[in-house]
Amino acid sequence: MLNELTAHEIHDLIVAKKISVFEVTEAILERIEAVGEKVNAYLSVMGEEALREAKKIDAAIAGGREVAPLTGIPIAIKDNMCLRGAATTCSSKILDNFRPPYDATVVDKLRQERAVFIGKTNMDEFAMGSSTENSRSGITHNPWDLSTVPGGSSGGSAAAVAAGETIMALGSDTGGSIRQPASFCGVVGMKPTYGLVSRYGLVAFASSLDQIGPLTKDVTDAAYLMNALCGHDRKDSTSVNREVPDYPQALVNDVKGLKIGIPREYFGEGIDREVRETVERTIRLLSKLGAKIKETSLPHTEYAVATYYLIATAEASSNLARYDGVQYGYRVGKQESLSGNSTIDMYEQTRAEGFGDEVKRRIMLGTYGLSAGYYEAYYLRAQKVRTLIKQDFDRAFEEFDCLLTPTAPTAAFKIGEKMDDPLQMYLSDIFTISVNLAGIPALAIPGGFTGGGLPIGLQLIAKPFAEETLFRIAYTYEQNTDYHKRKCNL
Amino acid sequence: MQYETVIGLEVHAGLSTNSKIFCGCSTKFGASPNSQTCPVCLGLPGVLPVLNEAAVEDAIKVALALNCQVSPYSKFDRKNYYYPDLPKNYQISQNYLPVAFKGYLDVPLEKGTKRVGIDNIHLEEDAGKNIHGGGADAGESLVDLNRAGIPLIEIVTQPDMRSLEEVEKFMISLRDILLYLGVCDCCMEEGSLRFEANISLRLEGESRLGNRVEMKNLNSFKMVSKALQHEMRRQGEVLKEGGHIKAETRLWDEEKEVTSTMRSKEEAHDYRYFPEPDLSPLIIKDNWIDRVRKAMPELPRERKLRFSREYKIPEYDAQVLIADKYLADFYEDTVKLFPEAKMVSNWVMGELLRGLKERNINIEECLLPATHFANMLNMIKKGAISGRIAKDVFAEMLDTGKEAEEIVKEKGWSQMSDEDEVSRIADEIIEKNPQSVRDFQGGKEKALGFFIGQVMKVTRGKANPQLVNKLLKEKLGKLK
Ligand SMILES: [Zn+2]
């Protein structure tokens, strides 16, 4: 089955002229046809365009065009990234029918590589959530167990990769939104260093935390996708201007002498026994392979969730202010049910109807935290704690090449389990949030399974721009295990 | 008891950069609505601002001209408020760390100079424009976002001004600096220079400031003056009656010529400023400042020195001329065509300034082009009109903008320098007044004055006085 292959396997077959891009695309679309309804990973599938593009690529290859690593590879895009002319809704009613007249920089880069866009994936509204249940277009189901959530907010992308409904996908990660669903769905997900991948065309949730990254079936695919995504972009002032390494070169089966720290704060209350055992098993394996592993401490970890929810919501309250019904998207206007006549009436009713509960909750929280009299106590204080959290990591990386933690405290939870308890939901990101606050890279990889057959994820964290270290360790781990090869039964 | 007025200004100047502050769109005025927009200045989802360095450079120029310190490290902040002409519903501005701070401007007054402190200069983006009632439905408003994202600098003064004269002269001096620097066209009708004023009154000798009233919507020098004048009077009356001035924002109503409450201090917006996460801090290195400093154009100070040096006019004249850039430009343009520099400065400082004052207009509102002015001065020099008549001609030129020659022709004011004509008239008068001829012959020199008067009367003042004098002396001398 072509849809079960990785991107690099497909690439080799295309180069060897054993398969065509059209066949691969068709296989993906057939798979979507077969399981799409059960999983509900996609908000929109661009079948016709994808097949048309596949034919063009096949013709180009036949004409002697070079096959880049991602040429002809089907890819799914999270619905908060702009793809010219395609609906980009962030799973929100307020962006009903919004079709951007421009491509996100990452989409543009993938176009240049001639990847094939399969569709836009489901997500928590405006990337706010950890289960993909906050979507106006319905819940996405975890392909490993349809009664559980795929994680979030990039749940659609992670589920699509796990279910074989795409070969690879893009997600965005503000507090764990790539890594936590990767963990729940048993796939690889990377949150790159802040500034490494352009945010231009990514609908902002929290600008100082958001990063786009890959969701793939294995570490090798993640390295190739990172090669395509990274690079300076003049359209994003926070994008860094430095040379991008060739990530696949870091895929070396060797961790001898690498120092790996285990932060003790990540193994406290609330962590599932099977998750803890998975990390312990991993420590033993990596030690056997020659890594030097030692316990360490990130003392400000306990403040991360509070800090994150002050900063992320403050930025969100401002970023989401533009959805007011004036220019685009959903509007409660005169022709609709507008009561009252003023612009304020229009704003209020448009936003009241257009946003879901979680988004409203965060806008209110963020607005409050920035208000006169509270700014110093909340937002500014949070920024100071953010610095302390970052310094924790700086200190740790003086000694270690990498930190190893679980990605999430538990495996995928049941649909509906945490919807009435926002705080419990927020705590499912407890191991991923600090990384965004510090702006550093982290990679989530499959590390095992629960007794019930649900994937458990591992997280590797490195210092800024040390993605290669993450790839090397993850690749070595992958070469010595086969968790990433297991397929879900759908 | 006397009240002292305390006034500070906030000046918004639209920069004349080719493109907007955070995107590549054109800043040209007058294009069809929304034609100069892109995803960035429309605030579409997912787009990001990229700072235009030309705007920063303009801000540095203004900072240097206003003796400010340029911040080596400044930041942008978001000012959050909802308004349909603000596409993102926040304005990118600088609240916590502005691009420049702590400067001053020395303003020439009628007598002496006044130093007005500059608190800070910050960069920000302009908003678009709402057009109310412009839609198909009377209740509908339309939005034009061509102006959204045009770079602005906001110059905030200290509350250092104490009189209307200081405010008026400050505005002119500041405008001139912006014009000399070429960073702003200062076109008030197009909104590229806008003022907000804050004003409070306090008892003379009191060091604490009174409650201040902020005034918005002041779109011309005159509006600033009128609004401040009104507000000084209003606050004075309230205080004299033992009342209390509320700290509030008031709007100037140009039609009714009154100010009225817009919002009280309690209702003031909470803008929820916080650092703009989409832009990195603005780092300005010394070598950038040095480069800008070296390329600075001539400013009023230097122009004054050059006037004294180049045109050899007294320092006082140069001072009066450079107090208004448009006046100085007018002077220079005239001197280029009519190089008697001192005669030009006499006329500019005398008749021109008096004429403008009488008509209550500025030099830039005046219809008179420098070429016409130079042509008129030339006519005086050539003797085509007398200095006295020239004053009437000039007044007519100010009102109509016509050439002096045309006015002289229309009004029949040209000086009679035709010797035969004047000679004929003189002969006639001598013949009609034998008694006066005898008086003259009898040694009464005064009689000559009588004859001159008669000739001027008959010619209605047009005869060239020197010519009349010469001819009469000759003719009467021959009769002796
Ligand atoms: Zn634009």
Side-chain angles (χ1 to χ4, degrees), chain B residues 354-422:
Chain B
R354 187 176 316 124
L356 294 176
K357 204 167 186 183
E358 280 165 12
R359 286 161 185 77
N360 195 23
I361 54 172
N362 303 321
I363 176 76
E364 71 268 30
E365 293 169 297
C366 165
L367 296 166
L368 178 70
T371 46
H372 293 191
F373 184 49
N375 289 342
M376 187 210 74
L377 295 173
N378 229 334
M379 287 174 75
I380 301 176
K381 197 187 165 199
K382 283 192 311 199
I385 48 173
S386 67
R388 199 185 57 74
I389 289 222
K391 289 181 182 176
D392 297 335
V393 173
F394 184 71
E396 199 62 24
M397 289 167 77
L398 280 181
D399 288 332
T400 63
K402 285 182 185 166
E403 280 273 25
E405 212 176 300
E406 199 184 337
I407 294 167
V408 166
K409 214 176 275 167
E410 270 176 22
K411 304 266 179 186
W413 283 348
S414 75
Q415 187 156 279
M416 206 176 275
S417 298
D418 181 341
E419 202 165 329
D420 294 344
E421 178 69 3
V422 178

Side-chain angles (χ1 to χ4, degrees), chain A residues 302-344:
Chain A
E302 61 171 310
Y303 305 110
V305 172
T307 303
Y308 173 84
Y309 277 96
L310 287 170
I311 293 172
T313 58
E315 291 179 9
S317 72
S318 174
N319 282 332
L320 272 62
R322 71 189 66 193
Y323 309 114
D324 57 8
V326 173
Q327 272 193 80
Y328 49 80
Y330 182 71
R331 172 199 277 189
V332 179
K334 272 207 180 143
Q335 282 74 34
E336 293 84 17
S337 50
L338 183 68
S339 58
N341 230 337
S342 71
T343 316
I344 303 285

